[in-house]
Amino acid sequence: QVQLTESGGGSVEVGGSLRLSCTASVMKYCMGWFRQAPGKEPEEVAHVNGYGETSYGDSAKGRFTIVKDKGKATLYLQMHRLKPEDTAMYYCAADSGVPIGVGRGTLCTASTSYRYLGQGTQVTVSP
């Protein structure tokens, strides 16, 4: 069982910044963030694999940065130039990944499909 605990959410004005943190009882190969706004589907924000390779959703590119600190067993999401449409519950997620063949490694899919989830932290961006 993997326990994930998010923190760092809050209210901020348009153009502001926030840093979300996720402390994990166990760091998995795939770690990521996704978000969900009321009445909308979950949306991938970003994920990172065991090699530190990152992938971002379109809404996060150029504004958000995902960082994994193995030593602290913590995943971060640094968010800049926040917009009202970034308002959502943000979830930390973890997964072992999908094997893609003998000797071919492991694939990290979008974080919305990960097995382990945190309880979420609310981010609200006001105009």
Side-chain angles (χ1 to χ4, degrees):
Q1 186 70 17
V2 176
Q3 294 183 335
L4 304 170
T5 304
E6 302 98 333
S7 61
S11 296
V12 65
E13 293 183 348
V14 167
S17 299
L18 280 175
R19 188 179 78 161
L20 306 183
S21 299
C22 170
T23 302
S25 60
V26 177
M27 294 294 273
K28 303 297 287 184
Y29 183 78
C30 305
M31 301 290 296
W33 294 91
F34 71 90
R35 67 189 185 186
Q36 187 168 22
K40 295 188 176 181
E41 293 293 315
E43 177 188 12
E44 154 97 328
V45 176
H47 66 262
V48 57
N49 69 13
Y51 291 100
E53 298 168 327
T54 58
S55 178
Y56 294 90
D58 288 341
S59 62
K61 290 177 181 177
R63 299 187 299 128
F64 297 178
T65 302
I66 188 170
V67 176
K68 182 165 69 172
D69 186 331
K70 291 182 180 179
K72 295 182 179 180
T74 301
L75 183 73
Y76 300 98
L77 183 68
Q78 180 67 58
M79 305 185 292
H80 295 296
R81 302 195 303 279
L82 285 161
K83 307 174 182 179
E85 51 264 44
D86 294 318
T87 295
M89 185 71 80
Y90 283 70
Y91 296 89
C92 178
D95 199 272
S96 298
V98 180
I100 54 175
V102 176
R104 296 180 61 191
T106 302
L107 174 69
C108 292
T109 57
S111 56
T112 50
S113 64
Y114 290 0
R115 177 176 180 180
Y116 303 103
L117 308 178
Q119 81 287 353
T121 186
Q122 178 68 37
V123 171
T124 302
V125 184
S126 58

